[in-house]
Each structure stands twice: as structure tokens, then as C-alpha cells.
Amino acid sequence: MLHLLSNETLHPHDHESHAGFHRLVDTKSRTALVLGGGAPNSALMAGALAAFQEEGISFDVVSTSGAGGLMGLLWLAPKNATPDEALRNWLNSYVHDAIYDQFPVAYKVFTKPGAAADNYRSTVTPFLQSMMGGAGSSVQRFWNDWTQLLSASFCPSTTSSKDTGLCARLPWVEEIVDFDKIKDLDSHFYINAYNIDQKKMENFSRDEITLDHFKAAFAFPFIYGPYQMGEDNYYEGASHECLNFRGLYENHPNLDTIVVLDVMGSESLIRQPRDLYDSWVQSIIVPLVQVAKNNLELFTLKDNRGWHRTKGARADLMVMPFDLSEDDQQTALDWSYSNGSKLFDIGYRSAQEFLKGQGAKLKANSEIESLALSA
């Protein structure tokens, strides 16, 4: 971090580092993007970020929780792909409708845990990839997804009642995120996790994020179980704080614009379950909806002191709305390909409309920066 010394000064209230030392406080950053948790409907964020990428929108700070961390890294640190390609390729994690209608499980994202399963995947995956083609047509997507379903079904598992999680810890993430790029990002980047042993939230920065930090930040209870890093164990940060506002002003005191992509804080996600599996999904979502709402309300009232700078707030706080109909809300948590594609398009269009209205100054700032760079 020595290269930042000329632009940053020590701040006495910065205690957010995992290692326990004072971070240098950034006094230059003006804009921040907060990406909330929410895996099933993460395609909303992917679509919105694709629109931001297309319009050349960037942020000085990107602060994330849960699935928002993955979407943020697909945007800022994709592996072997452009940001737009990586965000659009996320739709390949959703399941062809002909399969999902009969077997509504996200088996491409949530995979079996254990050494036997890891060895199976490392052996079988190259063979599967040789059989699968590009996911351009519906027929090809069906073949790819059917092949992966058969592979997932035959995958061995040693899961027992003594295990603390059902799924492997994102064995595919290193194929789509370049963790070596994170420390060199132009934007300050954060992802949070809850330290079970210390009973506190921790906020990992771009200077320290490794695959281990990412797995700690995705250790959702029951699905993955706690993740041990060093001497401490962690749960996913989004299970405690769906919106990661932690340390924004302590680390970046001169922010004047904060944009929030919140895909969880909507009561419309709470509904009658369709079946037993859907009821289990609702058991996860229902408390998180209120957590996200509480996070936003507390930050708005206590830390930001309102919504608009013209009315005394520290920064203009903008929650980008997603234009979901009532029917869209009913299927928003489905992992079907049709739903993922629909959510991506809604996120993309919503971001475009946002940049024409409330977020227009972001586009203006981007255009000014482009002119300055070309001058």
C-alpha cells in the first residue's frame, strides 16, 4: 500500500482490518457502489453491472456482501473473459427450464462436498467439457445442463450428520474470478464476513482478499457451514449484514455519492411457497429481507443522516430500483434459465433508466473523466 501514501492519511477510527492494524484512509474517493447479498436473483445485479460497464460507469469504492461480492468480482476481476462476457456468462449457472421444471435445484452452483467429490470433479470435468459445446442455442444448453445433471447425480459424497454444511465451497469460482487481479484494482473493493469466534463482522479489502477470504465470505450457514481461516471460523457476511456499509466513511470520509443495488430488501420476496423445496428457500429469504431493510435504514439515519446532500446528508444515497412486476417477483428466486435471463434483462434496463434519471450525474462524471483522459 506504500504507493498510496501520497494520497491518503492515517485515520484514528479505522479498525476494520482483519490483521488488526490501522489502514490508510482514502481522502480522494467520491463515489461508492454497494452490492448486496442474494444468490438466486443475482442476475439482477449482473445485468445492472453490464449496463454500467457499457456506459463506462466506474466507482471509487465497491463494497459487497455475499453474492454481491461474486458479481462485483465478475465485473472487476474476471478470469479469461471481458467484464461483459463474465457477467453474461453467469447466466450459464442457471438451469434449462425443461430440466428445472422437473428438478428445481441449482445443481451447477451447489455441488456435493468432500474429498471423493473433489477427486471425481477433477477427473470428470475435462471429459465433460470435451462433450459440451457453446451455450448458444436452447438445444445446446439442454444438452450441457443434462450432461452436468448426470455428472452431479453420479458424483460421490461422504456427507453425514456430523458435517456442518451440505455443499462444496464454490469449487468453480477460480475458473471465473482472477484473484491475482484484486490487489491491483483501481477501485477499493470490500467483502464482509462474520467472525464466529470473535463475535464480530470483518471487512476484507482488496489488499488482503484471497480465495480463503472469499470462501469465508460465502460460508452461509447450513449450505456451506463455517469456514476456518487461521485460528478463526467465519460465516457469510450477508447472513448478518446483507448490505455492506461497514467502514465506508471511516475508510473514505469524502464520499459524496453512494449507489445501492439491493436485491433482498423487498417484502415481495416473501410469499406462499410452491412446494417443500421452495419452503426451505423461503426459510432462508424471509429473515434476510428484514436484515437488508434494517441495514439500509440504520445507515441512512445514523451514518448518512438522510438521503440527499442538499438536505443535510453526508452523501447522496441512491437505491437503484429494479422494475419487477408482480409475476416477476413470484419467480425471482428460481434458478431456471428463463428466470435468470429475465432478471438479467430487467437489471440491465433498470440500470439504463437509472442512469437517465437519478443516476445521471454518474454518467456525466464518466464522460468528463473520459474527456480528461483523452485530452
Side-chain angles (χ1 to χ4, degrees):
M1 293 182 65
L2 293 178
H3 66 289
L4 299 176
L5 282 173
S6 61
N7 296 330
E8 300 178 337
T9 56
L10 281 174
H11 193 281
H13 301 298
D14 180 21
H15 300 282
E16 298 301 329
S17 172
H18 173 61
F21 54 82
H22 289 280
R23 282 202 184 123
L24 297 177
V25 168
D26 156 44
T27 58
K28 296 184 68 176
S29 293
R30 295 292 184 269
T31 60
L33 175 66
V34 177
L35 299 173
N41 51 359
S42 55
L44 283 169
M45 289 186 282
L49 293 175
F52 287 166
Q53 176 69 20
E54 184 177 281
E55 295 294 339
I57 304 299
S58 62
F59 294 85
D60 300 317
V61 181
V62 179
S63 188
T64 72
S65 297
L70 177 58
M71 295 303 104
L73 291 176
L74 289 178
W75 181 37
L76 299 174
K79 190 169 186 177
N80 300 325
T82 66
D84 183 71
E85 288 171 344
L87 291 166
R88 293 180 184 278
N89 286 343
W90 178 241
L91 292 179
N92 293 330
S93 66
Y94 290 78
V95 179
H96 194 286
D97 288 57
I99 299 173
Y100 193 82
D101 288 345
Q102 303 301 317
F103 186 65
V105 176
Y107 57 86
K108 295 194 285 183
V109 174
F110 304 107
T111 58
K112 295 176 184 178
D118 290 339
N119 291 334
Y120 172 87
R121 280 190 290 268
S122 65
T123 302
V124 172
T125 297
F127 174 70
L128 289 180
Q129 290 176 339
S130 69
M131 294 178 60
M132 294 160 52
S137 69
S138 177
V139 172
Q140 186 63 58
R141 282 191 291 100
F142 177 82
W143 169 251
N144 292 348
D145 290 1
W146 179 251
T147 302
Q148 291 181 76
L149 175 59
L150 292 178
S151 174
S153 300
F154 285 110
C155 181
S157 176
T158 56
T159 304
S160 73
S161 60
K162 295 182 180 181
D163 291 312
T164 59
L166 286 178
C167 300
R169 299 182 188 278
L170 303 103
W172 39 263
V173 71
E174 288 182 281
E175 299 174 10
I176 58 176
V177 172
D178 190 337
F179 286 91
D180 291 333
K181 286 182 180 178
I182 299 175
K183 63 181 180 298
D184 298 319
L185 293 177
D186 292 331
S187 301
H188 293 272
F189 188 88
Y190 301 95
I191 188 168
N192 63 4
Y194 181 75
N195 188 317
I196 300 170
D197 300 287
Q198 302 295 327
K199 298 293 186 290
K200 67 176 184 179
M201 291 294 297
E202 293 189 10
N203 214 17
F204 307 130
S205 73
R206 65 183 178 187
D207 304 291
E208 59 190 332
I209 294 174
T210 64
L211 178 61
D212 278 331
H213 294 87
F214 187 84
K215 288 183 177 181
F218 265 74
F220 198 88
F222 188 61
I223 295 178
Y224 299 112
Y227 185 75
Q228 184 171 358
M229 186 168 59
E231 297 182 356
D232 293 333
N233 294 278
Y234 292 86
Y235 274 140
E236 178 174 322
S239 65
H240 195 74
E241 293 181 3
C242 278
L243 297 172
N244 186 12
F245 295 112
R246 183 169 295 269
L248 274 186
Y249 283 131
E250 289 86 347
N251 297 329
H252 312 282
N254 293 331
L255 292 174
D256 59 34
T257 305
I258 300 173
V259 176
V260 180
L261 300 191
D262 176 19
V263 299
M264 289 302 301
S266 172
E267 296 282 354
S268 60
L269 293 175
I270 302 175
R271 53 170 173 72
Q272 278 282 99
R274 297 190 294 266
D275 49 39
L276 187 60
Y277 177 80
D278 198 38
S279 184
W280 173 67
V281 172
Q282 283 290 302
S283 74
I284 298 172
I285 297 301
V286 169
L288 293 182
V289 169
Q290 192 59 48
V291 169
K293 292 176 67 176
N294 290 345
N295 292 157
L296 180 59
E297 182 178 358
L298 182 62
F299 178 79
T300 303
L301 297 177
K302 180 181 177 182
D303 297 300
N304 203 52
R305 302 192 298 270
W307 293 91
H308 307 289
R309 296 179 71 201
T310 56
K311 296 183 179 180
R314 289 188 65 170
D316 286 323
L317 182 59
M318 309 177 192
V319 179
M320 196 190 89
F322 291 103
D323 186 23
L324 273 73
S325 69
E326 186 173 338
D327 288 342
D328 295 333
Q329 295 284 6
Q330 292 298 308
T331 57
L333 301 177
D334 289 356
W335 282 95
S336 67
Y337 186 84
S338 62
N339 181 57
S341 300
K342 178 174 61 178
L343 293 180
F344 187 97
D345 291 342
I346 291 172
Y348 182 85
R349 293 196 307 270
S350 297
Q352 288 182 317
E353 291 302 313
F354 174 75
L355 293 175
K356 293 176 184 177
Q358 190 180 15
K361 71 174 184 177
L362 295 171
K363 190 171 182 179
N365 290 342
S366 174
E367 291 172 350
I368 291 172
E369 290 176 4
S370 297
L371 289 173
L373 290 173
S374 62

